[in-house]
Amino acid sequence: MRKKVPMQTLLVVITTGKEAFPRVNSLLHMTQILAEQPETAVELLLLGPGVELLRANQKSTPMIADALDRLREAEVDIVACQVSLEAYGVALDQMLPARLVKGAVEIRQCLGQGATVLSF
């Protein structure tokens, strides 16, 4: 009889912005691989400069949008900090889709539910 593996929840927090696109690209790829693991739920939180990745009017937008679409297909919950969006001037009508949260509150809730937090 196979032992049932408990569901593991991961919160991946990206605070790196568009200035480090190669690193961000690697982090998005890593998040997808994590989400494809059995019994793993993944949430991606864009916080601080990380919210700049959601700007729909930048040169890297097509690559970022494609990566986020792949994450959604892997059932990753993509969320963005409302406070960071305001601080970095990312207008809601000019951003890629994401669920809006208050970053610190979201981290606290995830920790309270036993999630492992990975911050980059």
Side-chain angles (χ1 to χ4, degrees):
M1 176 183 247
R2 279 184 63 187
K3 190 176 182 181
K4 182 163 171 64
V5 177
M7 178 65 89
Q8 181 176 15
T9 303
L10 301 173
L11 173 63
V12 178
V13 182
I14 295 182
T15 60
T16 301
K18 61 184 179 179
E19 76 285 348
F21 182 76
R23 181 176 181 184
V24 167
N25 196 38
S26 294
L27 292 172
L28 295 174
H29 182 70
M30 178 204 71
T31 302
Q32 181 177 351
I33 290 170
L34 289 170
E36 293 170 350
Q37 301 308 302
E39 303 297 326
T40 305
V42 179
E43 179 176 322
L44 174 67
L45 170 61
L46 299 169
L47 183 69
V51 298
E52 291 185 310
L53 301 172
L54 295 173
R55 287 186 197 275
N57 60 350
Q58 57 189 353
K59 185 178 177 181
S60 60
T61 296
M63 290 179 283
I64 297 290
D66 185 50
L68 294 177
D69 285 344
R70 286 193 309 272
L71 290 176
R72 283 186 201 89
E73 289 171 10
E75 299 183 7
V76 173
D77 185 15
I78 300 169
V79 299
C81 175
Q82 291 174 313
V83 176
S84 296
L85 288 168
E86 291 172 18
Y88 285 87
V90 180
L92 297 179
D93 63 343
Q94 295 179 349
M95 66 175 261
L96 299 171
R99 183 170 61 87
L100 303 181
V101 298
K102 292 197 172 160
V105 173
E106 187 71 8
I107 292 169
R108 175 63 190 103
Q109 287 176 345
C110 289
L111 285 170
Q113 295 168 357
T116 300
V117 178
L118 305 172
S119 181
F120 302 95

